[in-house]
Structures are given as structure tokens and as C-alpha cells.
Amino acid sequence: MTSLTDRLAGFAAQTAPADIPGSARAVLRLSLLDWAAVAIAGRDEPVSRITRGMALAEAGAPRASVIGHGTRLPPRAAALVNGATSHALDYDDTHFAHIGHPSVAVLPAALALAEDRGADWSALESAALIGLEASVRVGLWLGRGHYQHGFHQTGTAGAFGAALAAARLLGLTKDQCAMALGLVATRASGLKSQFGTMGKPFNAGLAAANGVEAALLVEGGFVANPDALEAPQGFGPTHAGSAEEGALNDLGQAWLFEGVSHKFHACCHGLHACLEAAKTLGALDPAAIERIEVATHPRWLSVCNQPAPSTGLGAKFSYATVLPMLFLGHDTAQLQSYSDDLCAEPAVQALRARVAVTGDDSVAETASRLHVTLAGGEVREATHDLAAPMPLEDRQARVREKAGALLGPDIAARLWQLAGGAGGVAGFAAALRGAGDAAPS
């Protein structure tokens, strides 16, 4: 039987650009715009400034762009900074197949080496898609047990995707791609215990930098155990991996990345289904709401069910806060809506006390069921599943609207053109360096 590593290495080294469907490239364009907009908007977050400051102080060969800064850095350092920066707001895309954020781990690695090696736009697209798809497949192979045990798939599965994207741009052979997977297995890391701190976005930066590092070392002749992802005492066996059969079914024919979910609320993705369900209820008088009952998959109870957060960051991980926000008229898509002051608002606190959240195994991980009881006994019910198909045109409209809200319509429109290849790799990278100067704070 062909090993997991062998199949992934072959996928990275041997997939022809013509074998990548246009539908996957269309979704990638959405994620490139979304990733760029969220990263630029997050360029001044503390984790972004601190990580960038460290890398700039160390300096090095100016070969890859840094988001929101005119100075270039070595590819590994640029990937670290850009990965952390693009996940600083926790507003980037999520794939629920393995519960990971693929773009923030893979795109910084791909862009850094595309710049460094002078790759064209088609090569960047192909490498990015191969890395994104690989990160989802490795995440599936590791399984839910890996995530439940406390590992952050963005940092772990993401590192393997970043390594293959980097290996593809370096033109590594199949055997070298396997070696890169084996080497990054000893570097991949990321803990869910960092959620709610700067450590969470830093996990994304680590994944991107580890992928670049592994690929560059292998290009230079570094020898590691190429089977360290799945071998005894390898990454999977030592990190609560489930070795899920079928994780690579139809690899190269079916592109699971196309099912990525873009965030349209500036909070944990586990909260989005309940917010989308609540929006279908229309305007409700908050004073008439007696009880809000949320049924969600039990997995989210340990992720985004803070009952009474006192900070804006905590609000992003709280069913009991985001639903009152929405019913009270706060825009859950706006970054500034999540603040310490909001958590202290008497109206928010009063409505928060009426929210009850329960875990229900019959509810999909991507779904929520809402039951709102009004004064007089009237009940309003709604459900929403983020996995429900959304036409590409609708997804595009919402991603572009989000980018415009973050950066302003002119910058967002320019980034949309660049995400489609206008201006090539150099043009896209230049926009990431300079668009932040023109973006509203």
C-alpha cells in the first residue's frame, strides 16, 4: 500500500497546473483577497507589531515582503511575521473538515518563496492550492482526536501544507517533498491552550515559517526521516493522530479546499452558524426577549462558550455575548464592535443572562439551532448550517463587501484585481507592503 507521505509527496511534485480545476482557483482568489484584507487590517495588532519588531531587529537578506512595512526580510522570517499578522484578528477563513485555518499557514509560506524565487502567478496559485489541499488532508488524517486532545490544526496540519507549498515553489522532486514532510514533522506545533492569547496567531506564523525552513533545508541537501509523519514515534502516533482511513480519497481529483468557509462575523467561526440563524429572525425587540436557547455541537462548548467575558477578545468566543450584540443592533462583522466597553454594557449583560447554550450531538459541527422565547410565550426558531452550498457569486459578493469594510472600497477593489493575477506576484506583494499605509485605522 502506498504510504500517506508518498501520496502527498507525489501530489505536490507531480500535479500539473492543468489538472487543478478552475473552481479551485476561483475559491483561491476569494481566499487571497480575504487573507490580504484581514492581514492588512491586523497589521497594528500587538502580536503583529511584536513579531514584526523581532524579525526586523534581526534583519537579514531582503528577499520577501512584510505586510504593512516597506522592509523585506528573509523568506522564513517574512512567513513567520505574515502568518501571525494574518491571524491576529482571527477573521480569516476556516475549513471545518479538520477545524483549521488553512490560508494563514500556507499563503505566507507560498508568497515568501514565490517572491524569493521570482515565480509567476500561475506557479504561486498552483503551489498555494497544493499546500492548502494538503493541510486539509493531513488534518483529516490526524482526525478529531488530535484536535480534541489540545492540538491546534492551524499550526500542526498547516505546517505540512506550508512545507509542500514551499517545496513545490522550489521545484523539489517527489523524494525531496517526502523529506520535507518528514523534516517538518519534527517542527510542527500549536496548542489550543493558546486560544484567547497572542499565542494563537503565532501558531499560524510558526506553521508558515516551519514549512519554509523545512523545504529550504531539504533543497540544500538536508536528510531527515521521510516517514516521520506516520512512522512509529512519528508525528501522528505521538500527537493523538487517528490515522483516519480515507483522508486521501480522490486526492488530486476532488479538491476539498473548495469547501473552505470565509468569516462574515469578526468572531470565532464556531459562533457564525448561530449568528446567521439569528439574522433570519428579523428585527426583534430586545426587551421582549425572555430566553435564547442555542443548540450546538458539543465540540464548540470548550472553544467559544465563555459565559460572561469582560474583554472584547473574550466576546469573540462567547455565544452569550454575540447573540445579544446582534439583537441589540451591534454589527458583528465590524472589528470595533468587540470591546471591553461593550461587555460592560448593562443591556448586553441583561440579555446575556437569558442565553442558554447546550451541546447536542445531533447538530452538525457547522450548524446551530436557535430557539427564542418572547414575552407572552411566542417562540421563534431558526437553524443554519455553514456547510450549506453558497453560490460562488454570493460568496464573492460577501468577501468583497467584507474587504471593503476593512480597508475601504478602493483598496479592496485593487486587491481583488491583484488576487486574480493582475500585477503578478510582485504587484500583490507590493500591495501588502504598501496598502496598509492607505488603509483606515
PDB file of all heavy atoms in Angstrom, residues 63 65 72 111 114-116 118-121 124 414 418 421-434:
ATOM      1  N   ARG A  63      14.477  39.637   0.908  1.00  0.00           N
ATOM      2  CA  ARG A  63      14.015  38.834  -0.224  1.00  0.00           C
ATOM      3  C   ARG A  63      12.515  38.597  -0.256  1.00  0.00           C
ATOM      4  O   ARG A  63      11.995  38.102  -1.256  1.00  0.00           O
ATOM      5  CB  ARG A  63      14.742  37.485  -0.205  1.00  0.00           C
ATOM      6  CG  ARG A  63      16.205  37.614  -0.586  1.00  0.00           C
ATOM      7  CD  ARG A  63      17.087  36.525  -0.015  1.00  0.00           C
ATOM      8  NE  ARG A  63      16.590  35.175  -0.179  1.00  0.00           N
ATOM      9  CZ  ARG A  63      17.178  34.091   0.341  1.00  0.00           C
ATOM     10  NH1 ARG A  63      18.274  34.238   1.083  1.00  0.00           N
ATOM     11  NH2 ARG A  63      16.679  32.889   0.146  1.00  0.00           N
ATOM     12  N   SER A  65       8.432  40.092   1.169  1.00  0.00           N
ATOM     13  CA  SER A  65       7.686  41.235   1.703  1.00  0.00           C
ATOM     14  C   SER A  65       7.103  40.961   3.086  1.00  0.00           C
ATOM     15  O   SER A  65       6.751  39.827   3.423  1.00  0.00           O
ATOM     16  CB  SER A  65       6.551  41.609   0.747  1.00  0.00           C
ATOM     17  OG  SER A  65       7.065  42.089  -0.476  1.00  0.00           O
ATOM     18  N   ARG A  72      11.942  44.412   3.403  1.00  0.00           N
ATOM     19  CA  ARG A  72      11.857  42.982   3.121  1.00  0.00           C
ATOM     20  C   ARG A  72      12.730  42.215   4.100  1.00  0.00           C
ATOM     21  O   ARG A  72      13.671  42.749   4.684  1.00  0.00           O
ATOM     22  CB  ARG A  72      12.292  42.686   1.686  1.00  0.00           C
ATOM     23  CG  ARG A  72      11.295  43.107   0.616  1.00  0.00           C
ATOM     24  CD  ARG A  72      11.808  42.704  -0.760  1.00  0.00           C
ATOM     25  NE  ARG A  72      10.825  42.879  -1.811  1.00  0.00           N
ATOM     26  CZ  ARG A  72      10.626  44.004  -2.477  1.00  0.00           C
ATOM     27  NH1 ARG A  72      11.371  45.069  -2.181  1.00  0.00           N
ATOM     28  NH2 ARG A  72       9.717  44.090  -3.421  1.00  0.00           N
ATOM     29  N   LEU A 111       3.826  32.767  -0.627  1.00  0.00           N
ATOM     30  CA  LEU A 111       4.170  34.097  -1.145  1.00  0.00           C
ATOM     31  C   LEU A 111       5.645  34.414  -0.912  1.00  0.00           C
ATOM     32  O   LEU A 111       6.319  34.956  -1.796  1.00  0.00           O
ATOM     33  CB  LEU A 111       3.295  35.161  -0.479  1.00  0.00           C
ATOM     34  CG  LEU A 111       3.565  36.596  -0.934  1.00  0.00           C
ATOM     35  CD1 LEU A 111       3.257  36.755  -2.426  1.00  0.00           C
ATOM     36  CD2 LEU A 111       2.757  37.593  -0.115  1.00  0.00           C
ATOM     37  N   ALA A 114       7.640  32.459  -3.452  1.00  0.00           N
ATOM     38  CA  ALA A 114       7.342  32.916  -4.808  1.00  0.00           C
ATOM     39  C   ALA A 114       8.089  34.213  -5.098  1.00  0.00           C
ATOM     40  O   ALA A 114       8.652  34.397  -6.184  1.00  0.00           O
ATOM     41  CB  ALA A 114       5.833  33.117  -4.982  1.00  0.00           C
ATOM     42  N   GLU A 115       8.103  35.111  -4.128  1.00  0.00           N
ATOM     43  CA  GLU A 115       8.877  36.347  -4.282  1.00  0.00           C
ATOM     44  C   GLU A 115      10.363  36.052  -4.391  1.00  0.00           C
ATOM     45  O   GLU A 115      11.064  36.574  -5.261  1.00  0.00           O
ATOM     46  CB  GLU A 115       8.648  37.250  -3.075  1.00  0.00           C
ATOM     47  CG  GLU A 115       7.465  38.161  -3.143  1.00  0.00           C
ATOM     48  CD  GLU A 115       7.565  39.242  -2.084  1.00  0.00           C
ATOM     49  OE1 GLU A 115       7.173  38.949  -0.933  1.00  0.00           O
ATOM     50  OE2 GLU A 115       8.039  40.343  -2.394  1.00  0.00           O
ATOM     51  N   ASP A 116      10.836  35.238  -3.487  1.00  0.00           N
ATOM     52  CA  ASP A 116      12.267  34.953  -3.416  1.00  0.00           C
ATOM     53  C   ASP A 116      12.785  34.325  -4.695  1.00  0.00           C
ATOM     54  O   ASP A 116      13.887  34.640  -5.162  1.00  0.00           O
ATOM     55  CB  ASP A 116      12.528  34.021  -2.225  1.00  0.00           C
ATOM     56  CG  ASP A 116      13.997  33.700  -2.053  1.00  0.00           C
ATOM     57  OD1 ASP A 116      14.817  34.627  -2.130  1.00  0.00           O
ATOM     58  OD2 ASP A 116      14.321  32.514  -1.846  1.00  0.00           O
ATOM     59  N   GLY A 118      11.220  34.413  -7.718  1.00  0.00           N
ATOM     60  CA  GLY A 118      10.743  35.053  -8.945  1.00  0.00           C
ATOM     61  C   GLY A 118       9.709  34.232  -9.682  1.00  0.00           C
ATOM     62  O   GLY A 118       9.660  34.248 -10.919  1.00  0.00           O
ATOM     63  N   ALA A 119       8.869  33.515  -8.951  1.00  0.00           N
ATOM     64  CA  ALA A 119       7.846  32.673  -9.584  1.00  0.00           C
ATOM     65  C   ALA A 119       6.757  33.525 -10.215  1.00  0.00           C
ATOM     66  O   ALA A 119       6.491  34.649  -9.779  1.00  0.00           O
ATOM     67  CB  ALA A 119       7.235  31.742  -8.539  1.00  0.00           C
ATOM     68  N   ASP A 120       6.112  32.980 -11.244  1.00  0.00           N
ATOM     69  CA  ASP A 120       4.993  33.702 -11.849  1.00  0.00           C
ATOM     70  C   ASP A 120       3.711  33.405 -11.079  1.00  0.00           C
ATOM     71  O   ASP A 120       3.675  32.570 -10.169  1.00  0.00           O
ATOM     72  CB  ASP A 120       4.856  33.379 -13.340  1.00  0.00           C
ATOM     73  CG  ASP A 120       4.533  31.917 -13.633  1.00  0.00           C
ATOM     74  OD1 ASP A 120       4.006  31.211 -12.744  1.00  0.00           O
ATOM     75  OD2 ASP A 120       4.803  31.479 -14.773  1.00  0.00           O
ATOM     76  N   TRP A 121       2.637  34.105 -11.467  1.00  0.00           N
ATOM     77  CA  TRP A 121       1.391  33.993 -10.715  1.00  0.00           C
ATOM     78  C   TRP A 121       0.812  32.584 -10.760  1.00  0.00           C
ATOM     79  O   TRP A 121       0.305  32.078  -9.758  1.00  0.00           O
ATOM     80  CB  TRP A 121       0.373  34.997 -11.245  1.00  0.00           C
ATOM     81  CG  TRP A 121      -0.861  35.039 -10.395  1.00  0.00           C
ATOM     82  CD1 TRP A 121      -2.074  34.478 -10.650  1.00  0.00           C
ATOM     83  CD2 TRP A 121      -0.992  35.664  -9.112  1.00  0.00           C
ATOM     84  NE1 TRP A 121      -2.958  34.706  -9.621  1.00  0.00           N
ATOM     85  CE2 TRP A 121      -2.314  35.435  -8.665  1.00  0.00           C
ATOM     86  CE3 TRP A 121      -0.116  36.393  -8.303  1.00  0.00           C
ATOM     87  CZ2 TRP A 121      -2.783  35.927  -7.438  1.00  0.00           C
ATOM     88  CZ3 TRP A 121      -0.584  36.877  -7.089  1.00  0.00           C
ATOM     89  CH2 TRP A 121      -1.903  36.638  -6.669  1.00  0.00           C
ATOM     90  N   LEU A 124       2.542  30.430  -8.253  1.00  0.00           N
ATOM     91  CA  LEU A 124       2.099  30.742  -6.897  1.00  0.00           C
ATOM     92  C   LEU A 124       0.740  30.113  -6.625  1.00  0.00           C
ATOM     93  O   LEU A 124       0.527  29.483  -5.579  1.00  0.00           O
ATOM     94  CB  LEU A 124       2.029  32.254  -6.704  1.00  0.00           C
ATOM     95  CG  LEU A 124       1.352  32.725  -5.401  1.00  0.00           C
ATOM     96  CD1 LEU A 124       2.111  32.230  -4.181  1.00  0.00           C
ATOM     97  CD2 LEU A 124       1.218  34.246  -5.375  1.00  0.00           C
ATOM     98  N   ARG A 414      -8.827  47.179  -5.646  1.00  0.00           N
ATOM     99  CA  ARG A 414      -7.491  46.946  -6.191  1.00  0.00           C
ATOM    100  C   ARG A 414      -6.971  45.567  -5.788  1.00  0.00           C
ATOM    101  O   ARG A 414      -6.415  44.828  -6.616  1.00  0.00           O
ATOM    102  CB  ARG A 414      -6.541  48.040  -5.688  1.00  0.00           C
ATOM    103  CG  ARG A 414      -5.077  47.864  -6.100  1.00  0.00           C
ATOM    104  CD  ARG A 414      -4.902  47.837  -7.601  1.00  0.00           C
ATOM    105  NE  ARG A 414      -3.499  47.735  -7.983  1.00  0.00           N
ATOM    106  CZ  ARG A 414      -3.068  47.271  -9.151  1.00  0.00           C
ATOM    107  NH1 ARG A 414      -3.952  46.881 -10.074  1.00  0.00           N
ATOM    108  NH2 ARG A 414      -1.784  47.210  -9.424  1.00  0.00           N
ATOM    109  N   LEU A 418      -5.684  42.271  -8.040  1.00  0.00           N
ATOM    110  CA  LEU A 418      -4.380  41.643  -7.812  1.00  0.00           C
ATOM    111  C   LEU A 418      -4.524  40.184  -7.423  1.00  0.00           C
ATOM    112  O   LEU A 418      -3.685  39.348  -7.796  1.00  0.00           O
ATOM    113  CB  LEU A 418      -3.625  42.412  -6.727  1.00  0.00           C
ATOM    114  CG  LEU A 418      -3.184  43.830  -7.101  1.00  0.00           C
ATOM    115  CD1 LEU A 418      -2.687  44.566  -5.879  1.00  0.00           C
ATOM    116  CD2 LEU A 418      -2.110  43.803  -8.184  1.00  0.00           C
ATOM    117  N   GLY A 421      -4.432  37.910 -10.298  1.00  0.00           N
ATOM    118  CA  GLY A 421      -3.202  37.791 -11.066  1.00  0.00           C
ATOM    119  C   GLY A 421      -2.744  39.068 -11.731  1.00  0.00           C
ATOM    120  O   GLY A 421      -1.632  39.118 -12.266  1.00  0.00           O
ATOM    121  N   ALA A 422      -3.572  40.106 -11.740  1.00  0.00           N
ATOM    122  CA  ALA A 422      -3.147  41.379 -12.334  1.00  0.00           C
ATOM    123  C   ALA A 422      -1.984  41.931 -11.512  1.00  0.00           C
ATOM    124  O   ALA A 422      -2.094  42.109 -10.303  1.00  0.00           O
ATOM    125  CB  ALA A 422      -4.308  42.373 -12.341  1.00  0.00           C
ATOM    126  N   GLY A 423      -0.862  42.164 -12.164  1.00  0.00           N
ATOM    127  CA  GLY A 423       0.307  42.657 -11.443  1.00  0.00           C
ATOM    128  C   GLY A 423       1.261  41.574 -11.000  1.00  0.00           C
ATOM    129  O   GLY A 423       2.362  41.865 -10.529  1.00  0.00           O
ATOM    130  N   GLY A 424       0.844  40.311 -11.157  1.00  0.00           N
ATOM    131  CA  GLY A 424       1.716  39.201 -10.811  1.00  0.00           C
ATOM    132  C   GLY A 424       2.049  39.144  -9.327  1.00  0.00           C
ATOM    133  O   GLY A 424       1.434  39.812  -8.498  1.00  0.00           O
ATOM    134  N   VAL A 425       3.035  38.310  -9.005  1.00  0.00           N
ATOM    135  CA  VAL A 425       3.453  38.137  -7.613  1.00  0.00           C
ATOM    136  C   VAL A 425       3.988  39.448  -7.047  1.00  0.00           C
ATOM    137  O   VAL A 425       3.665  39.839  -5.914  1.00  0.00           O
ATOM    138  CB  VAL A 425       4.518  37.024  -7.495  1.00  0.00           C
ATOM    139  CG1 VAL A 425       5.088  36.963  -6.085  1.00  0.00           C
ATOM    140  CG2 VAL A 425       3.931  35.677  -7.896  1.00  0.00           C
ATOM    141  N   ALA A 426       4.775  40.161  -7.842  1.00  0.00           N
ATOM    142  CA  ALA A 426       5.376  41.402  -7.364  1.00  0.00           C
ATOM    143  C   ALA A 426       4.316  42.438  -7.035  1.00  0.00           C
ATOM    144  O   ALA A 426       4.407  43.148  -6.025  1.00  0.00           O
ATOM    145  CB  ALA A 426       6.346  41.952  -8.406  1.00  0.00           C
ATOM    146  N   GLY A 427       3.291  42.538  -7.871  1.00  0.00           N
ATOM    147  CA  GLY A 427       2.239  43.514  -7.626  1.00  0.00           C
ATOM    148  C   GLY A 427       1.436  43.196  -6.373  1.00  0.00           C
ATOM    149  O   GLY A 427       1.090  44.096  -5.596  1.00  0.00           O
ATOM    150  N   PHE A 428       1.130  41.914  -6.181  1.00  0.00           N
ATOM    151  CA  PHE A 428       0.370  41.508  -5.000  1.00  0.00           C
ATOM    152  C   PHE A 428       1.183  41.770  -3.742  1.00  0.00           C
ATOM    153  O   PHE A 428       0.672  42.306  -2.744  1.00  0.00           O
ATOM    154  CB  PHE A 428       0.010  40.024  -5.111  1.00  0.00           C
ATOM    155  CG  PHE A 428      -0.913  39.517  -4.041  1.00  0.00           C
ATOM    156  CD1 PHE A 428      -2.236  39.902  -3.996  1.00  0.00           C
ATOM    157  CD2 PHE A 428      -0.447  38.632  -3.073  1.00  0.00           C
ATOM    158  CE1 PHE A 428      -3.091  39.425  -3.002  1.00  0.00           C
ATOM    159  CE2 PHE A 428      -1.288  38.151  -2.076  1.00  0.00           C
ATOM    160  CZ  PHE A 428      -2.620  38.553  -2.047  1.00  0.00           C
ATOM    161  N   ALA A 429       2.472  41.422  -3.775  1.00  0.00           N
ATOM    162  CA  ALA A 429       3.332  41.627  -2.611  1.00  0.00           C
ATOM    163  C   ALA A 429       3.498  43.108  -2.300  1.00  0.00           C
ATOM    164  O   ALA A 429       3.492  43.516  -1.129  1.00  0.00           O
ATOM    165  CB  ALA A 429       4.698  40.989  -2.854  1.00  0.00           C
ATOM    166  N   ALA A 430       3.625  43.933  -3.344  1.00  0.00           N
ATOM    167  CA  ALA A 430       3.770  45.374  -3.133  1.00  0.00           C
ATOM    168  C   ALA A 430       2.536  45.956  -2.462  1.00  0.00           C
ATOM    169  O   ALA A 430       2.637  46.848  -1.604  1.00  0.00           O
ATOM    170  CB  ALA A 430       4.033  46.070  -4.468  1.00  0.00           C
ATOM    171  N   ALA A 431       1.358  45.463  -2.841  1.00  0.00           N
ATOM    172  CA  ALA A 431       0.126  45.942  -2.224  1.00  0.00           C
ATOM    173  C   ALA A 431       0.082  45.583  -0.747  1.00  0.00           C
ATOM    174  O   ALA A 431      -0.378  46.372   0.080  1.00  0.00           O
ATOM    175  CB  ALA A 431      -1.083  45.358  -2.951  1.00  0.00           C
ATOM    176  N   LEU A 432       0.572  44.410  -0.401  1.00  0.00           N
ATOM    177  CA  LEU A 432       0.596  44.008   1.009  1.00  0.00           C
ATOM    178  C   LEU A 432       1.553  44.888   1.806  1.00  0.00           C
ATOM    179  O   LEU A 432       1.280  45.227   2.957  1.00  0.00           O
ATOM    180  CB  LEU A 432       1.012  42.543   1.132  1.00  0.00           C
ATOM    181  CG  LEU A 432      -0.011  41.505   0.650  1.00  0.00           C
ATOM    182  CD1 LEU A 432       0.597  40.119   0.669  1.00  0.00           C
ATOM    183  CD2 LEU A 432      -1.254  41.547   1.522  1.00  0.00           C
ATOM    184  N   ARG A 433       2.653  45.256   1.190  1.00  0.00           N
ATOM    185  CA  ARG A 433       3.610  46.144   1.878  1.00  0.00           C
ATOM    186  C   ARG A 433       3.051  47.546   2.048  1.00  0.00           C
ATOM    187  O   ARG A 433       3.189  48.158   3.104  1.00  0.00           O
ATOM    188  CB  ARG A 433       4.921  46.243   1.096  1.00  0.00           C
ATOM    189  CG  ARG A 433       5.741  45.005   1.014  1.00  0.00           C
ATOM    190  CD  ARG A 433       7.168  45.309   0.541  1.00  0.00           C
ATOM    191  NE  ARG A 433       7.209  46.063  -0.691  1.00  0.00           N
ATOM    192  CZ  ARG A 433       7.195  45.536  -1.920  1.00  0.00           C
ATOM    193  NH1 ARG A 433       7.122  44.217  -2.050  1.00  0.00           N
ATOM    194  NH2 ARG A 433       7.262  46.281  -2.999  1.00  0.00           N
ATOM    195  N   GLY A 434       2.401  48.053   0.988  1.00  0.00           N
ATOM    196  CA  GLY A 434       2.043  49.472   0.983  1.00  0.00           C
ATOM    197  C   GLY A 434       0.603  49.814   1.231  1.00  0.00           C
ATOM    198  O   GLY A 434       0.295  50.929   1.626  1.00  0.00           O
TER     199      GLY A 434
END
